[in-house]
Amino acid sequence: MAAANPISKSSTAWLGPASGAVAITPDATATFTPTRGIMCAVAGTVACKFADTAADVSLTLLAGTVYPFSIVAVRITGTSATGIVALY
């Protein structure tokens, strides 16, 4: 889905603002490059997998709020939020 993130999580540049965004389409199995943050256009739940966690979790997101989450997957089952965007 997204290109490799050129900024290492151990870099101080990781703390700066995101420099790119990619729309996320929820999928049953697909993964992508760990994000620097996510947001959605329409509030709802997001079933996702964090970069450093094995299990999927369900989060409730508000529309227009940037969440500093490093995720690698958004599952179609359990996701009701729409307009989900990955920030890099």
Side-chain angles (χ1 to χ4, degrees):
M1 185 179 277
N5 190 343
I7 302 173
S8 164
K9 286 195 287 185
S10 61
S11 167
T12 56
W14 182 262
L15 300 174
S19 60
V22 176
I24 296 175
T25 301
D27 188 273
T29 59
T31 61
F32 43 83
T33 303
T35 65
R36 295 178 69 184
I38 62 169
M39 63 182 297
C40 63
V42 177
T45 59
V46 175
C48 62
K49 181 179 181 310
F50 278 82
D52 296 331
T53 306
D56 291 348
V57 297
S58 182
L59 306 170
T60 301
L61 304 183
L62 299 174
T65 301
V66 175
Y67 294 91
F69 300 152
S70 183
I71 62 169
V72 295
V74 173
R75 307 300 185 203
I76 195 162
T77 301
T79 296
S80 64
T82 59
I84 304 167
V85 176
L87 304 173
Y88 292 97

